[in-house]
């Protein structure tokens, strides 16, 4: 399929610029996103990244690209090993539990599944082969602890993504842990020789008894499923260094080819103005929010509503606002089937054309969701005005529905308003009210209508029978 002739601009961390997106194979996108380390429930900061990636994928598909998406599962690293030891269960048992939880959470947030979810523990031979190649080419060496390290001084482009300066670097200084700061740039572990701390987690390989470092996992798995050079690699800004810098170094040193062409990173999430941390009492997994009865679709909408490259401040107040935003759109969708106005075709045609252009232009501008949503809410307001004035024809109402449906194929926040379930209590009240009306007991009918109103349902009697909608905010 030929992509539509739109220029989608994406901000590439490699160049620190917005660039027109052009995939290697016309019409096809190969995309890798760093997946969860399955050592705990994913928190809402993790989900900000996964939702931004979901939006990017849905937008590219909307623009006519076929997308091949790979997301890895880090099921062996420093954190998973430590976690399994604390709980005194096998690494497999431990990570499988959190893998399952991750998929449940992703489904609850309406994240479209990736094409492949490779697990690190199932790709050890690929990692070993890559490390052997790096040893052969002189980019890697064995340390006195028998671990194998990548020699960053041998890779001249080291620092290209994170823009770190290597002048102060102590040559030969080594780091074995997976995560470390920019100021500590040094030779990092590709293969970690077994120590007693690893317990029963090890593989006997040509590189010796041990386990892979975290960074090599993503290089080996992305190239296996997407090829040595692919289009897009995503993650959170905290992945830029060291994780993605190291991925580039290992991959390009091994293949002699460019690795990913576009690197996209989402900014941090703050909660109530602060960096999310357990010690601040503002640390939330998705499950914590569900336990507080937060609306899942509102969470999705809220996390998508700020541009991905801006820091985003999560508050419960903003979550309520996101929920009423969804309701505004849904209420319009409920009104549309009944709109049989006399028509102001010029006005409604203009409105539809305008929102399509504004929405598309904003999304093509590096996924500017804030501007895109502003155009949608303007549109909703103006269409409501047309319906109020009895000027939206049935044919135009269908065009509005088509636009909103297409909008929702990208944002994924609306419930199916035709099949939406009323709460059982509301259903009972509506049917009691119908019975009262049948026997012309207007007083009871009116009381029940008021009761439903306090529950947030507006009841309208029409020739086709009773209709209901959620109260407009
Ligand atoms: Zn990764």
């Amino acid at each position: 399929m030929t992509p539509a002739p739109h220029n989608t601009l994406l901000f590439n961390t490699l160049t620190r610029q917005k660039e027109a997106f052009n995939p290697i194979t016309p019409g096809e996108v190969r995309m890798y996103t760093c997946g969860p380390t399955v050592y705990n429930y994913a928190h809402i900061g993790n989900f900000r990244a996964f939702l931004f990636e979901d939006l990017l994928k849905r937008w590219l598909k909307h623009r006519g690209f076929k997308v091949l998406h790979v997301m890895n599962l880090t099921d062996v690293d420093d954190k998973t090993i430590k976690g399994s030891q604390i709980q005194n269960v096998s690494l497999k048992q431990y990570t499988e539990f959190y893998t399952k939880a991750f998929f449940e959470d992703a489904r609850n947030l309406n994240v479209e599944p990736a094409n492949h979810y490779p697990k690190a523990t199932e790709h050890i031979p690929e990692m070993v082969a890559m490390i052997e190649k790096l040893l052969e080419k002189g980019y890697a060496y064995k340390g006195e602890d028998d671990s194998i390290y990548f020699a960053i001084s041998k890779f001249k482009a080291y620092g290209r993504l994170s823009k770190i300066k290597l002048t102060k670097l102590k040559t030969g200084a080594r780091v074995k842990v997976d995560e470390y700061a920019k100021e500590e740039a040094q030779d990092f572990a590709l293969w970690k020789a077994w120590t007693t701390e690893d317990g029963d987690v090890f593989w006997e390989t040509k590189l010796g008894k041990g386990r892979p470092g975290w960074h090599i996992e993503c290089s080996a798995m992305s190239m296996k499923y997407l090829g040595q050079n692919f289009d897009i690699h995503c993650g959170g800004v905290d992945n830029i260094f060291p994780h993605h810098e190291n991925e580039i170094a290992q991959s390009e040193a091994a293949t002699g080819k460019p690795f990913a062409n576009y690197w996209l990173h989402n900014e941090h999430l703050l909660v109530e103005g602060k960096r999310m941390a357990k010690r601040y009492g503002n640390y939330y997994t998705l499950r914590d929010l569900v336990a507080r009865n937060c609306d899942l679709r509102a969470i999705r909408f809220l996390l998508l509503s700020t541009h991905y490259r801006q820091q985003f401040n999560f508050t419960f107040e903003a979550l309520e606002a996101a929920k009423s935003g969804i309701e505004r759109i849904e209420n319009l969708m409920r009104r549309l089937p009944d709109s049989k106005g006399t028509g102001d075709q010029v006005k409604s045609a203009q409105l539809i054309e305008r929102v399509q252009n504004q929405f598309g232009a904003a999304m093509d501008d590096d996924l500017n969701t804030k501007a895109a949503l502003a155009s949608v809410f303007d549109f909703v307001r103006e269409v409501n005005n047309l319906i109020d004035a009895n000027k939206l024809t049935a044919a135009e109402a269908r065009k509005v529905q088509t636009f909103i449906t297409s909008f929702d194929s990208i944002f994924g926040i609306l419930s199916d308003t035709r099949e939406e379930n009323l709460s059982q209590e509301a259903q009972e009240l509506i049917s009691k009210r119908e019975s009262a009306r049948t026997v012309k007991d207007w007083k009871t009918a009116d009381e029940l209508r008021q009761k439903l109103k306090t529950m947030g349902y507006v009841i309208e009697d029409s020739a086709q029978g009773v209709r209901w909608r959620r109260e407009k905010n």
Side-chain angles (χ1 to χ4, degrees):
M1 188 167 149
T2 324
H6 294 280
N7 238 352
T8 300
L9 298 178
L10 299 175
F11 185 89
N12 191 345
T13 308
L14 269 177
T15 58
R16 303 293 196 270
Q17 275 176 6
K18 282 184 203 170
E19 296 175 13
F21 175 66
N22 287 305
I24 298 160
T25 308
E28 289 180 23
V29 180
R30 282 173 285 147
M31 153 173 168
Y32 186 85
T33 59
C34 286
T37 298
V38 282
Y39 77 111
N40 204 337
Y41 295 117
H43 59 63
I44 51 174
N46 301 135
F47 275 106
R48 183 182 192 200
F50 302 145
L51 285 170
F52 141 63
E53 292 153 0
D54 186 52
L55 186 81
L56 171 65
K57 179 164 82 174
R58 287 173 183 242
W59 184 248
L60 292 172
K61 282 163 74 176
H62 180 77
R63 281 303 188 216
F65 293 104
K66 202 175 134 200
V67 181
L68 178 61
H69 175 205
V70 177
M71 178 186 264
N72 70 298
L73 300 166
T74 299
D75 62 349
V76 55
D77 80 321
D78 298 349
K79 292 190 278 198
T80 44
I81 294 175
K82 203 170 159 207
S84 66
Q85 288 170 347
I86 290 170
Q87 286 196 9
N88 200 21
V89 293
S90 72
L91 182 68
K92 192 175 164 67
Q93 203 182 345
Y94 181 77
T95 57
E96 275 180 356
F97 176 84
Y98 288 111
T99 300
K100 194 165 158 263
F102 164 73
F103 283 121
E104 275 169 21
D105 289 350
R107 206 165 35 243
N108 279 333
L109 283 177
N110 197 15
V111 174
E112 281 188 358
N115 300 84
H116 300 285
Y117 289 102
K119 290 180 177 176
T121 51
E122 291 171 5
H123 294 79
I124 303 294
E126 287 84 350
M127 297 170 203
V128 170
M130 209 175 139
I131 297 168
E132 285 187 298
K133 180 79 136 311
L134 290 169
L135 283 165
E136 225 170 83
K137 288 184 146 191
Y139 287 104
Y141 63 93
K142 191 175 253 195
E144 57 270 23
D145 65 345
D146 279 344
S147 294
I148 296 168
Y149 292 89
F150 186 88
I152 57 174
S153 60
K154 295 273 169 62
F155 185 71
K156 298 300 167 219
Y158 195 83
R160 197 174 66 200
L161 183 73
S162 59
K163 315 289 181 214
I164 52 162
K165 302 258 181 296
L166 289 177
T167 42
K168 289 178 211 144
L169 194 73
K170 295 168 274 172
T171 38
R174 286 189 289 271
V175 54
K176 197 175 169 189
V177 292
D178 290 328
E179 291 180 86
Y180 51 93
K182 247 183 178 178
E183 301 71 47
E184 297 158 13
Q186 46 198 303
D187 292 355
F188 58 91
L190 297 164
W191 184 259
K192 302 183 181 193
W194 181 83
T195 64
T196 49
E197 282 173 14
D198 290 339
D200 59 357
V201 180
F202 60 84
W203 285 263
E204 294 278 8
T205 72
K206 284 185 216 159
L207 304 172
K209 176 179 173 177
R211 62 178 173 103
W214 172 39
H215 315 296
I216 197 79
E217 297 182 0
C218 281
S219 287
M221 292 189 280
S222 58
M223 289 199 280
K224 171 164 181 180
Y225 294 93
L226 298 171
Q228 294 179 338
N229 175 217
F230 56 90
D231 300 300
I232 300 178
H233 196 311
C234 299
V237 282
D238 46 353
N239 284 152
I240 296 174
F241 191 89
H243 187 49
H244 290 166
E245 191 71 64
N246 292 351
E247 275 191 50
I248 293 175
Q250 303 155 157
S251 308
E252 298 192 354
T255 67
K257 290 180 193 158
F259 182 46
N261 292 354
Y262 299 84
W263 288 83
L264 272 63
H265 294 98
N266 65 283
E267 259 296 340
H268 284 297
L269 172 128
L270 306 174
V271 177
E272 306 284 354
K274 277 192 194 154
R275 192 89 187 251
M276 190 165 72
K278 282 181 180 150
R279 66 179 182 281
Y280 299 144
N282 67 349
Y283 179 98
Y284 297 110
T285 64
L286 184 65
R287 282 151 196 258
D288 294 332
L289 295 185
V290 169
R292 291 173 71 132
N293 279 326
C294 293
D295 184 273
L296 285 161
R297 291 177 305 139
I299 296 169
R300 177 179 168 99
F301 194 35
L302 181 60
L303 290 174
L304 290 175
S305 60
T306 296
H307 187 239
Y308 74 92
R309 280 192 296 115
Q310 286 183 338
Q311 281 206 348
F312 168 67
N313 186 24
F314 179 94
T315 65
F316 286 95
E317 207 183 325
L319 192 59
E320 279 307 304
K323 194 173 168 193
S324 48
I326 296 173
E327 283 164 7
R328 280 213 293 284
I329 303 172
E330 287 182 341
N331 282 335
L332 174 63
M333 284 299 260
R334 280 198 203 90
R335 295 185 81 189
L336 290 170
D338 288 340
S339 185
K340 297 180 177 68
T342 51
D344 184 343
Q345 297 240 355
V346 179
K347 175 92 174 152
S348 43
Q350 274 171 356
L351 283 180
I352 291 173
E353 199 189 322
R354 193 180 73 193
V355 74
Q356 279 170 339
N357 290 339
Q358 288 179 342
F359 182 79
M363 291 298 288
D364 276 333
D365 181 17
D366 192 34
L367 308 181
N368 187 345
T369 51
K370 199 169 176 194
L373 292 172
S375 72
V376 171
F377 283 112
D378 275 350
F379 176 71
V380 167
R381 195 185 62 246
E382 302 219 36
V383 174
N384 270 319
N385 290 342
L386 277 179
I387 299 176
D388 291 343
N390 198 30
K391 281 188 172 165
L392 190 75
T393 63
E396 295 296 315
R398 279 194 294 276
K399 288 184 194 159
V400 174
Q401 272 177 325
T402 305
F403 171 75
I404 303 273
T405 305
S406 147
F407 153 79
D408 198 49
S409 69
I410 295 143
F411 275 80
I413 49 168
L414 303 183
S415 59
D416 189 336
T417 49
R418 287 159 304 170
E419 290 173 17
E420 188 180 348
N421 291 324
L422 284 159
S423 72
Q424 199 183 341
E425 189 187 358
Q427 263 174 36
E428 282 167 10
L429 291 177
I430 288 176
S431 94
K432 268 189 198 161
R433 181 172 170 273
E434 282 303 277
S435 315
R437 276 164 50 84
T438 317
V439 297
K440 297 191 176 7
D441 178 1
W442 308 119
K443 187 169 168 282
T444 307
D446 206 46
E447 279 166 9
L448 290 164
R449 181 205 288 270
Q450 285 305 319
K451 175 126 199 237
L452 283 155
K453 193 167 187 305
T454 61
M455 292 166 64
Y457 297 103
V458 177
I459 305 302
E460 287 163 354
D461 300 306
S462 75
Q464 289 79 36
V466 63
R467 300 184 60 86
W468 62 273
R469 63 182 168 83
R470 285 207 195 270
E471 185 135 55
K472 257 197 265 178
N473 289 277

